[in-house]
Amino acid sequence: MTNNILKGKRILISGKGGSGKSTLVTLMSDVLQKKGYKIFALDGDASNPRGLAGLMFGLKKEKDFPKALIDFFGGIKKVTCPVDDPSPLTRLNDSIPIPEKKIDILKEIPEKYFLKRKKIILFQAGKIKKYGQGCDGPAEKVVRDFMVKGDYVNLIDAPAGVEHFGRGISKNVDILILVLDPTFESISIAKRVNDFCKDIKMQNFWLILNKIKSKKVESQMMNKLGKLKNRVIGTVQCDSKIIESALEGVFPSKSEALNDIEKIIEKLERIKN
Ligand SMILES: Nc1ncnc2c1ncn2[C@@H]1O[C@H](COP(=O)(O)OP(=O)(O)OP(=O)(O)O)[C@@H](O)[C@H]1O
Ligand SMILES: [Mg+2]
């Protein structure tokens, strides 16, 4: 029987650069799809040119990539950085802000803005394409405020680090997941983000330990996390299949890490949201 608990939830995947955010969004989409969910994935990272279009769909040529969502909203001349202008995103010639109105994506957004396969729909918020094109704050406003109608599980691949928290990106999020690779920096980011969560009273905040090679590394990380270890929702093994697939630019279909992700999704479904 299909479980519907995560239907309609907005899940933000955040973490240090290179910790595995995009890989986990890709694996999570696959597991969720097999469980019968419809997935709306948003590549919110302006820095990596291929990003999720590469990992999830195996695309290599830029001409095959979807147009950025920020262009749907009028481009960087229209969309403002949320720090300069905290007001929510509003569509061109529309008076109602997107978070209030929401968009029916398949009806209202032309196909050139997304990729679709089976139950997964992928959008890109915006990408840095030109030297000196400006701050990526406007693209982050799209990430923060692009709200979709329907029963999709929303998986949002956040930009690396914590700068987007300064821009209030977690405002419309139901579940916040932080990916930690085995580094001291990831532990520091977890503590910082935990403070942000206390400030905004975000209870649904979870940690995934990724690229874990041994029980010893796992328990070292748990020790360093101190009280925060209660927030760990699961561990994902360091898997050579993921590394090999990443080099080929294809989806890691045979990854044993998929079993780890399955357990994490089951736990997320058990949490009272
Ligand atoms: N569980 C894992 N086992 C082995 N390799 C992994 C695992 N998770 C991620 N990787 C590898 O680590 C690298 C970084 O992963 P990924 O691109 O998903 O991180 P990211 O957090 O999205 O990075 P960025 O901050 O650049 O967006 C990739 O080469 C990926 O294949
Ligand atoms: Mg990434």
Side-chain angles (χ1 to χ4, degrees), residues 180-184 186-187 190-191 206-210 212 214-236 264 267:
L180 279 68
D181 59 3
T183 60
F184 197 76
S186 274
I187 307 280
K191 292 182 178 166
W206 307 103
L207 309 176
I208 296 181
L209 309 185
N210 186 33
I212 303 303
S214 64
K215 282 277 165 212
K216 186 176 168 205
V217 172
E218 185 180 21
S219 66
Q220 273 177 316
M221 286 185 80
M222 289 294 204
N223 284 340
K224 290 194 191 306
L225 282 167
K227 275 193 208 148
L228 264 185
K229 65 171 179 270
N230 299 330
R231 292 271 158 198
V232 175
I233 195 161
T235 294
V236 179
I264 291 170
K267 278 198 187 166

Side-chain angles (χ1 to χ4, degrees), residues 157-260:
D157 187 3
V162 295
E163 192 189 354
H164 50 280
F165 287 99
R167 294 186 173 124
I169 207 174
S170 48
K171 195 170 141 188
N172 302 316
V173 165
D174 299 304
I175 303 173
L176 174 59
I177 291 181
L178 197 70
V179 183
L180 279 68
D181 59 3
T183 60
F184 197 76
E185 192 65 2
S186 274
I187 307 280
S188 312
I189 291 178
K191 292 182 178 166
R192 179 68 48 92
V193 173
N194 187 49
D195 291 341
F196 297 151
C197 288
K198 276 190 199 148
D199 288 348
I200 58 168
K201 300 193 171 48
M202 159 65 103
Q203 307 276 346
N204 223 339
F205 162 52
W206 307 103
L207 309 176
I208 296 181
L209 309 185
N210 186 33
K211 306 195 201 182
I212 303 303
K213 279 199 166 142
S214 64
K215 282 277 165 212
K216 186 176 168 205
V217 172
E218 185 180 21
S219 66
Q220 273 177 316
M221 286 185 80
M222 289 294 204
N223 284 340
K224 290 194 191 306
L225 282 167
K227 275 193 208 148
L228 264 185
K229 65 171 179 270
N230 299 330
R231 292 271 158 198
V232 175
I233 195 161
T235 294
V236 179
Q237 61 189 281
C238 183
D239 182 10
S240 56
K241 286 272 170 347
I242 295 183
I243 298 169
E244 288 157 22
S245 308
L247 185 57
E248 294 306 320
V250 295
F251 174 75
S253 53
K254 301 228 166 67
S255 171
E256 284 178 22
L258 282 162
N259 299 328
D260 302 332

Side-chain angles (χ1 to χ4, degrees), residues 21-22 45 48 157:
K21 300 174 290 298
S22 304
D45 179 0
N48 292 328
D157 187 3

